[in-house]
C-alpha cells in the first residue's frame, strides 16, 4: 500500500517527505495503523542531529508518539483488533515485539523501528500500541505515547516523589510540564519550573508549578532556587535539557539525601563533571529511560484521570503542522518556544 512519510536520509539535513509503500498484510505480531496525529519529541531532534554518533540505519523513518486506528493485524496479535483507536508509544507494552517493518521507496529500502509516527500509515509491533476509547480526542492521545507516560514515570518510578517533597525541573517543554503536573498530583511542594522562555515558565505555573523562574533573567539562579527549596537543596531535581552545564547545576542543587534524575541526553562527547562523594552516601544520580513506564498499564489510568478531570492536556500542544511542513515544525521545536508540536496526517 502507498503512504506518505518523512524520511531521514542524512543527519543534520531536512527530512524528505515522499510517497513510499509497505505490505498491506502485517507480518506475525505486526499491526497496520492509520495514523491520525503524531507528536515531536526531543529524541527525534537528537536522531536528526546525530547526537549519539553515526547512524547506521539510514534512510529510516522517525516518530514515537501518535494516535491512530487499527486497519489490520498480523498472526498472533491479541491485544488490539481491527477498528480499535490506539496510542502509538515507544516504550514496550503488552503483546509481541515483532520484527521491525521495512518500507519500499522506489526500490530503495527504508528502515523503521518497532514504531514510527512520521508517516500517515505505519506497520508497528503489537507491543507499541495500546487501545483507547474511540471517543477519546485523537489530538490529545499522542501525549500518552511519550510526554505524559515519561513524565509521570519520572515522578512515580524514578524520583519516587513523596507528599510534601520539593522538586525542581530544568526545562519545561512537553515532558517538563507534565513532570510539574505529576508532581502536583503527588502533592509535591514546592514545585519549581525553570526555562529560558517566559511563555513556558508561565505554562509551568498553569500545569502545577508553585514557582517559575526564567534562568536567563533571574540573576543568581542557585540563590533563587535555594531561597525557595531551602539551603540544603531540593529533594528531587530533574533535568530535561540534556545540557551538561545544566546537569551539573541540577546535581549541585540536589539535597545530600536527594535524587537527581536525568531525562535529557547530552550529545556524544559532552561530558559532565560532578563531585561524586555524596553518591557514596544517600545522594542519587540516575538516568531515566522513559520513566520506566508500562504503557499498557498506565495509559488506561490516564484516560480515567482525564474522565475525572484530574489530568490536564489542553494547551500542551502549542503548534500544529501538516506532515508536508514537518521541517518547519522541527525548526520551531529546535528554537525552544514550543511545549509540544502536533503533526497532522492527511489521507
Amino acid at each position: 500500500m502507498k503512504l506518505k512519510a518523512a524520511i531521514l536520509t542524512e543527519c543534520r539535513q531536512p527530512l524528505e517527505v515522499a510517497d513510499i509503500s509497505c505490505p498491506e498484510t502485517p507480518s506475525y505480531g505486526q499491526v497496520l495503523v492509520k495514523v491520525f496525529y503524531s507528536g515531536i519529541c526531543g529524541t527525534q531532534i537528537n536522531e536528526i542531529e546525530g547526537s549519539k554518533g553515526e547512524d547506521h540505519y539510514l534512510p529510516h523513518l522517525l516518530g514515537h508518539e501518535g494516535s491512530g486506528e487499527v486497519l489490520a493485524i498480523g498472526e498472533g496479535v491479541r491485544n488490539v483488533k481491527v477498528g480499535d483507536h490506539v496510542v502509538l508509544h515507544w516504550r514496550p507494552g503488552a503483546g509481541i515485539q515483532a520484527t521491525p517493518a521495512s518500507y519500499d521507496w522506489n526500490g530503495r529500502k527504508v528502515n523503521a523501528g518497532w514504531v514510527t509516527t512520521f508517516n500517515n500509515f505505519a506497520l508497528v509491533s503489537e507491543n507499541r500500541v495500546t487501545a483507547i476509547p474511540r471517543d477519546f480526542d485523537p489530538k490529545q492521545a499522542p501525549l500518552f505515547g511519550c510526554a505524559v507516560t515519561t513524565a509521570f514515570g519520572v515522578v512515580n518510578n524514578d524520583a519516587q516523589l513523596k507528599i510534601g517533597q520539593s522538586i525542581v525541573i530544568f526545562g519545561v517543554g512537553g515532558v517538563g510540564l507534565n513532570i510539574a503536573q505529576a508532581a502536583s498530583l503527588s502533592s509535591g511542594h514546592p514545585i519549581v519550573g525553570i526555562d529560558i522562555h517566559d511563555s513556558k515558565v508561565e505554562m509551568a505555573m498553569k500545569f502545577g508549578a508553585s514557582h517559575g523562574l526564567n534562568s536567563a533573567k533571574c540573576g543568581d539562579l542557585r540563590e533563587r532556587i535555594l531561597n525557595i527549596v531551602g539551603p540544603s537543596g531540593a529533594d528531587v531535581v530533574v533535568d530535561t535539557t540534556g545540557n551538561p552545564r545544566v546537569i551539573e547545576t541540577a546535581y549541585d542543587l540536589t539535597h545530600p539525601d536527594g535524587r537527581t534524575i536525568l531525562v535529557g541526553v547530552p550529545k556524544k562527547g559532552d561530558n559532565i563533571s560532578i563531585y561524586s562523594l555524596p553518591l557514596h552516601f544517600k545522594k542519587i544520580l540516575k538516568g531515566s529511560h522513559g520513566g520506566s513506564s508500562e504503557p499498557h498499564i498506565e495509559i488506561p489510568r490516564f484516560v480515567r484521570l482525564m474522565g475525572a478531570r484530574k489530568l490536564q492536556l489542553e494547551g500542551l500542544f502549542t503548534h500544529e503542522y501538516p506532515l508536508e511542513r514537518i521541517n518547519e515544525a522541527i525548526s520551531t521545536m529546535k528554537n525552544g518556544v514550543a511545549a509540544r508540536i502536533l503533526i497532522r496526517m492527511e489521507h
Side-chain angles (χ1 to χ4, degrees), residues 40 321-322 324-335 341:
I40 300 180
Y321 295 88
E324 288 77 5
R325 293 172 57 197
I326 194 165
N327 289 305
E328 184 180 342
I330 289 167
S331 295
T332 302
M333 186 81 176
K334 289 168 67 174
N335 70 26
I341 292 177

Side-chain angles (χ1 to χ4, degrees), residues 242-259:
N243 183 308
R245 306 293 81 81
V246 176
I247 292 171
E248 292 166 356
T249 300
Y251 178 80
D252 182 56
L253 289 167
T254 303
H255 189 280
D257 295 340
R259 288 85 72 200

Side-chain angles (χ1 to χ4, degrees), residues 172-173 177 180 197-209 312 314-318 337-340:
V172 284
L177 289 170
H197 298 281
D198 286 335
S199 60
K200 290 163 77 173
V201 173
E202 292 168 6
M203 285 187 70
M205 301 292 288
K206 294 177 182 177
F207 279 86
Q312 178 184 353
E314 191 67 38
L316 283 168
F317 282 119
T318 54
V337 298
R340 210 60 160 189

Side-chain angles (χ1 to χ4, degrees), residues 106-330:
N106 297 324
R108 186 181 184 188
K109 179 183 178 182
V110 178
N111 294 303
W114 293 295
V115 62
T116 62
T117 59
F118 289 2
N119 33 299
N120 62 358
F121 294 90
L123 275 174
V124 303
S125 286
E126 179 190 16
N127 67 350
R128 261 58 177 194
V129 291
T130 296
I132 55 174
R134 285 185 64 89
D135 61 355
F136 193 89
D137 187 351
K139 278 192 169 186
Q140 294 183 341
L143 292 164
F144 291 160
C146 177
V148 172
T149 43
T150 294
F152 277 65
V154 165
V155 172
N156 288 329
N157 303 326
D158 297 328
Q160 297 183 11
L161 185 75
K162 306 296 189 231
I163 294 171
Q165 287 191 325
S166 56
I167 180 170
V168 176
I169 308 153
F170 282 93
V172 284
V175 173
L177 289 170
N178 279 295
I179 291 173
Q181 181 167 203
S184 179
L185 287 172
S186 300
S187 296
H189 185 80
I191 302 168
V192 186
I194 302 169
D195 208 280
I196 59 173
H197 298 281
D198 286 335
S199 60
K200 290 163 77 173
V201 173
E202 292 168 6
M203 285 187 70
M205 301 292 288
K206 294 177 182 177
F207 279 86
S210 60
H211 299 76
L213 297 173
N214 184 323
S215 57
K217 297 179 179 180
C218 71
D220 189 332
L221 179 64
R222 187 178 189 278
E223 181 180 357
R224 291 288 299 275
I225 292 173
L226 294 179
N227 284 339
I228 297 169
V229 302
S232 297
D235 296 302
V236 174
V237 184
V238 182
D239 172 71
T240 73
T241 70
N243 183 308
R245 306 293 81 81
V246 176
I247 292 171
E248 292 166 356
T249 300
Y251 178 80
D252 182 56
L253 289 167
T254 303
H255 189 280
D257 295 340
R259 288 85 72 200
T260 308
I261 310 298
L262 308 184
V263 179
V265 179
K267 293 180 181 179
K268 187 176 181 180
D270 284 354
N271 298 322
I272 63 171
S273 178
I274 62 168
Y275 178 55
S276 63
L277 180 63
L279 298 176
H280 294 271
F281 297 93
K282 292 187 176 181
K283 194 166 186 173
I284 293 172
L285 174 63
K286 181 177 182 179
S288 177
H289 190 255
S292 299
S293 63
E294 298 182 273
H296 63 292
I297 295 173
E298 294 166 12
I299 288 173
R301 292 175 182 169
F302 299 146
V303 171
R304 291 198 298 271
L305 284 175
M306 288 288 293
R309 299 182 181 274
K310 291 187 175 183
L311 179 61
Q312 178 184 353
L313 299 183
E314 191 67 38
L316 283 168
F317 282 119
T318 54
H319 300 72
E320 180 179 331
Y321 295 88
L323 181 62
E324 288 77 5
R325 293 172 57 197
I326 194 165
N327 289 305
E328 184 180 342
I330 289 167

